[in-house]
Amino acid sequence: MAWNEPGGNGNQHDPWGGGGRKPDRNSGKDDGQRPNQGPPDLDEALKKLQDKVTNIFGSGKGGGSGGSKSPSKFGGYGLTALIAVLVLAIWVAGGFYLVDQAERGVVLRLGKYHETVTPGLHWNPPIIDSVTKVNVTRIRSFNQRATMLTRDENIVQVSISVQYVVSNPKDYLLNVRGPERSLEYALDSSLRHEVGTTDLIQILTEGREILAQGVNKRLQAFMDYYAVGLTLETINIESTSAPDEVQSAFDDVIRAREDRERSINQARTYENSVLPDAEGRAARIREEAQAYRESVTARAEGEASRFLALLKEYRQAPEVTRERLYIDAMQAMLSNASKVLVDTEEGSNNMMYLPLDRLGSSTPATASRNVTSNSATAPTTDYDLEQLTDQVIEQIRERQNANTSIRREGR
């Protein structure tokens, strides 16, 4: 039946207790009544937890009846010590950190720079130290386009790209509030200074490389002066152009200059192809002239020496020398003739054998003569004709002149 059913002799059958009486919490007894079956009290649960902690860090036995335990005088500090140890362990574990190979760690102790750590595992006290990791190998870049005035008071649009890396993490984080913004402002100043000292035609044509080198040198000097911890890798002039309103006119000018350069290059190519040939022919003509000069000089000197030797012999035997010169001259002339002269007496019965095949040939220099006369003192002579050169003809003429002069002297 129900716990509050009437007729129960005034006893309320409370499922959480007996007879409406609460048991004694200190003794754990209910004076013969039903045991305590109610929900556990929160204070009692906390007390049990405290007793367990007290037993762990130190406990003592009381002298009361029933052998009940009494908390130690150090039991209140045990929980505090445990909590302190846990907090300390968490604090120590939170101080470990790993720096990657491409990074450097900047350590600030109580807001002041302490050190820069290298890659690896490190520990710093949390809350006291703060670590900021900076990538020092990644190449950063940005582009910038601006319109500016040249030295010859023309307007030009320049598009430039910059690549840079962080070389000093400490300066990068602490010296300047915005390093990238400072770099952009310094680039604009450097570019305007270089463009302002250069003519427009150089910027639009072959002066881009020189412009990039000047901007790179000046911008790096600014970065070093400001100590922003950045180092430039490359600076590229992407494009240079005139304002859109006059772009067509500038294109015509550039095309005309390109045509001029092309014509000049073609002319230089032709010059380089013709000039060596002309110089070679001139050198060959000079060498031939020098050889002819030396040959003529040597020939003249040889003729002079021969004449002096002949003169010496002539002075010793004039008649014999004169006759010898005459015979040599006649031999030289007749050996080159294609006609045969025969001097025989009239009515003689001599028989002559003439080399008709050689006499009628086209090379008279090779003709020979074989004559047989009836005179007993006229021997048959075979002449082996030699081929005459220009030098032999000249010698014959000189001999004839020499004979003429000798005859004049004899007279």
Side-chain angles (χ1 to χ4, degrees):
M1 87 184 164
W3 66 275
N4 57 354
E5 184 178 357
N9 296 326
N11 293 329
Q12 300 292 333
H13 298 282
D14 188 357
W16 308 110
R21 295 181 60 185
K22 296 182 179 180
D24 188 1
R25 295 181 179 179
N26 295 327
S27 62
K29 300 180 179 180
D30 55 357
D31 296 333
Q33 301 296 327
R34 297 178 60 184
N36 185 15
Q37 298 179 356
D41 193 0
L42 181 61
D43 295 336
E44 185 176 357
L46 292 177
K47 185 177 180 181
K48 290 181 179 180
L49 177 63
Q50 185 177 1
D51 291 340
K52 291 181 179 180
V53 174
T54 303
N55 292 332
I56 294 175
F57 292 96
S59 62
K61 295 182 179 180
S65 62
S68 62
K69 298 179 181 181
S70 62
S72 174
K73 61 180 179 179
F74 299 103
Y77 297 100
L79 180 60
T80 304
L82 176 62
I83 295 175
V85 169
L86 293 176
V87 172
L88 180 63
I90 295 173
W91 181 78
V92 172
F96 289 97
Y97 61 94
L98 181 64
V99 179
D100 193 72
Q101 188 66 31
E103 298 176 340
R104 300 292 183 272
V106 179
V107 180
L108 301 180
R109 179 160 294 175
L110 298 177
K112 183 180 179 181
Y113 173 76
H114 177 63
E115 64 176 344
T116 300
V117 296
T118 56
L121 182 63
H122 302 275
W123 182 86
N124 284 91
I127 303 174
I128 298 176
D129 290 356
S130 62
V131 181
T132 303
K133 301 177 183 179
V134 180
N135 193 317
V136 296
T137 61
R138 181 169 64 90
I139 297 179
R140 312 159 191 257
S141 63
F142 71 94
N143 298 330
Q144 186 169 335
R145 183 178 180 86
T147 301
M148 52 199 68
L149 196 65
T150 62
R151 182 173 61 181
D152 51 358
E153 299 181 356
N154 288 311
I155 299 176
V156 64
Q157 294 179 353
V158 180
S159 178
I160 189 172
S161 64
V162 179
Q163 295 180 349
Y164 62 96
V165 296
V166 177
S167 59
N168 192 326
K170 173 190 173 183
D171 295 343
Y172 178 76
L173 292 177
L174 303 179
N175 284 357
V176 181
R177 184 182 298 273
E180 284 80 6
R181 182 174 299 179
S182 300
L183 178 62
E184 294 178 3
Y185 291 159
L187 174 63
D188 185 74
S189 176
S190 302
L191 183 60
R192 291 184 181 276
H193 184 277
E194 294 296 330
V195 172
T197 57
T198 309
D199 293 335
L200 176 63
I201 191 61
Q202 295 181 356
I203 298 176
L204 296 179
T205 55
E206 70 276 2
R208 294 184 182 180
E209 186 66 25
I210 300 176
L211 178 63
Q213 294 176 1
V215 174
N216 191 351
K217 182 178 180 181
R218 183 173 295 275
L219 182 58
Q220 187 61 58
F222 287 163
M223 293 296 98
D224 296 340
Y225 179 77
Y226 296 150
V228 297
L230 300 178
T231 300
L232 301 178
E233 290 290 327
T234 57
I235 291 182
N236 297 323
I237 304 297
E238 300 292 340
S239 63
T240 56
S241 61
D244 298 336
E245 295 77 9
V246 295
Q247 184 62 42
S248 60
F250 274 94
D251 293 340
D252 294 338
V253 173
I254 293 175
R255 282 193 293 269
R257 290 183 179 273
E258 291 177 352
D259 293 340
R260 174 176 174 268
E261 293 296 330
R262 183 172 59 255
S263 300
I264 292 175
N265 293 333
Q266 292 177 355
R268 289 177 178 174
T269 302
Y270 177 75
E271 177 187 3
N272 294 333
S273 63
V274 173
L275 188 59
D277 187 18
E279 291 178 351
R281 287 185 293 177
R284 186 177 66 251
I285 292 173
R286 286 194 296 267
E287 294 296 332
E288 291 177 354
Q290 183 68 22
Y292 177 75
R293 174 186 175 184
E294 293 177 357
S295 64
V296 171
T297 303
R299 186 184 303 173
E301 292 177 353
E303 293 294 335
S305 300
R306 187 182 61 81
F307 179 77
L308 294 177
L310 184 61
L311 179 60
K312 181 179 180 181
E313 297 295 332
Y314 177 78
R315 288 177 178 176
Q316 294 178 0
E319 294 296 333
V320 177
T321 305
R322 185 184 301 111
E323 187 67 22
R324 182 62 183 174
L325 291 175
Y326 176 76
I327 293 173
D328 291 341
M330 294 303 296
Q331 180 181 356
M333 288 187 296
L334 294 178
S335 62
N336 194 31
S338 61
K339 299 181 180 300
V340 178
L341 301 178
V342 180
D343 187 11
T344 61
E345 296 180 0
E346 186 177 355
S348 62
N349 292 325
N350 58 342
M351 181 177 293
M352 299 176 58
Y353 297 94
L354 300 178
L356 299 179
D357 54 344
R358 297 184 180 181
L359 293 176
S361 63
S362 59
T363 56
T366 60
S368 64
R369 182 179 60 178
N370 188 4
V371 180
T372 302
S373 63
N374 56 357
S375 175
T377 59
T380 302
T381 307
D382 295 333
Y383 293 94
D384 187 8
L385 302 179
E386 298 178 351
Q387 186 177 359
L388 296 179
T389 59
D390 295 340
Q391 182 177 0
V392 176
I393 296 174
E394 185 176 356
Q395 291 178 358
I396 294 173
R397 292 177 180 176
E398 291 178 356
R399 290 176 181 178
Q400 291 178 353
N401 295 331
N403 293 334
T404 304
S405 61
I406 291 171
R407 291 176 181 176
R408 290 178 181 177
E409 290 178 358
R411 294 178 183 178

